[in-house]
Amino acid sequence: MIVAARLIVLCLIIVSSCGFALVSQQELAKIRSGQESTKRDAPSLYTDQIVPYAKAHAHALAKVQKALAGERSFDQVCKQYGIQKSQAFPCTFWVSLTGTVQAIDRDSRAGKLTLKTADGDEVTVLIGPVIPGTDVRDGYPKLSYSDFNNQDDFADLASALNEQVVKTVQSASGELAPGADISITGAYATWGGPAAGPVEITPVAFEAP
């Protein structure tokens, strides 16, 4: 037993000294296939896939909130209206809403717009220039952590998609003024509904009501 243990240690020393590194089965498969580090064209992904998906799958925010406040469990509502890739992620709902701009706060880089809906509810819309979170990435079901070589690439994509959100806000800036009526499609991520925290929407589309 002692001899065998010494042989194992000796092998590890030889491998280490020769510059070899242990890799996962997933990484090994990618090396063998010649696959490079996974990178995505964020502008095209955002414009051609995510925004159309968001518009096609958005539910009225009021409908989602009513369901979250109802008798069904959060998991049941998420399964019907939202996307949750695993328990490590919040549930992301694509929602649509129409309202009147009450205020625009640009005092911090994470700027926010307050929208008052027809029901009298006030909703926060994130407008940047810094968009926090990963809602847009996590709300698109065809993106998975397992598709990426490492956590950094996965995080970088979220940041790149948030940059596209800022461009969407900038293109609509002429319509975003207090008193203006606007319709928004965006992502609402939550761990438990309105009771778990304020409703904040990451917008991907602005339209006239």
Side-chain angles (χ1 to χ4, degrees), residues 1 4 6 8 28 69 72 84 89 100 113 139 158 165 180-181 183 186:
M1 292 296 291
R6 288 178 177 176
I8 293 173
L28 182 60
R72 289 187 300 163
Q84 187 174 30
F89 295 87
T100 302
L113 177 152
V165 171
D181 294 328
S183 292

Side-chain angles (χ1 to χ4, degrees), residues 55 97-98 172 175 181-185 205-209:
K55 291 181 176 180
L97 63 156
T98 298
E175 305 170 30
D181 294 328
I182 194 78
S183 292
I184 295 173
T185 299
F206 294 89
E207 298 175 1

Side-chain angles (χ1 to χ4, degrees), residues 127-176:
I127 58 174
V130 173
I131 303 293
T134 58
D135 300 359
V136 174
R137 181 200 68 190
D138 298 343
Y140 188 55
K142 294 183 180 180
L143 290 174
S144 171
Y145 176 75
S146 61
D147 297 331
F148 293 79
N149 288 351
N150 54 65
Q151 184 175 354
D152 290 339
D153 286 349
F154 195 48
D156 287 345
L157 178 62
S159 297
L161 292 173
N162 286 349
E163 290 175 4
Q164 298 305 307
V165 171
V166 173
K167 292 182 179 180
T168 297
V169 173
Q170 291 173 342
S171 67
S173 60
E175 305 170 30
L176 302 180

Side-chain angles (χ1 to χ4, degrees), residues 10-93:
L10 179 60
C11 289
L12 290 174
I13 292 173
I14 292 173
V15 169
S16 177
S17 63
C18 292
F20 292 103
L22 298 177
V23 298
S24 67
Q25 290 297 323
Q26 181 181 5
E27 291 171 327
L28 182 60
K30 290 179 179 179
I31 292 171
R32 287 175 174 171
S33 66
Q35 181 178 349
E36 297 180 356
S37 178
T38 306
K39 298 291 183 182
R40 299 296 179 100
D41 180 356
S44 296
L45 177 64
Y46 178 84
T47 301
D48 300 338
Q49 298 183 48
I50 294 179
V51 173
Y53 180 90
K55 291 181 176 180
H57 293 81
H59 299 277
L61 176 62
K63 183 177 182 179
V64 172
Q65 289 181 299
K66 183 178 180 180
L68 289 170
E71 296 181 356
R72 289 187 300 163
S73 70
F74 176 77
D75 288 342
Q76 289 175 322
V77 177
C78 179
K79 186 175 181 179
Q80 180 175 1
Y81 295 111
I83 297 168
Q84 187 174 30
K85 295 173 180 176
S86 76
Q87 293 299 315
F89 295 87
C91 185
T92 301
F93 300 92

